[in-house]
Amino acid sequence: MIGADAEVAAKGLNSAAGHLHNCYSSGCASHTGAALHFVHDTSVERGFEIDRLIDQAVGRGDNR
């Protein structure tokens, strides 16, 4: 759910977790599978912010 509000996306994915788990576990030899739980990952946004700060520190500004 790229571009969606993080809370809305997490609710949608978590509501589908049971179905996704069934799809996943039906293709596995194991009779048990891990429970699926989705959380918002901010690492991409943090990476962009770090890149921006590095550019600012070396004087490149926003001239990418």
Side-chain angles (χ1 to χ4, degrees), residues 12-44:
L13 289 168
N14 283 312
S15 70
H19 174 71
L20 295 171
H21 181 268
N22 289 337
C23 292
Y24 162 77
S25 62
S26 68
C28 294
S30 174
H31 292 289
T32 60
L36 299 176
H37 179 74
F38 298 92
V39 294
H40 180 64
D41 178 7
T42 61
S43 61
V44 173

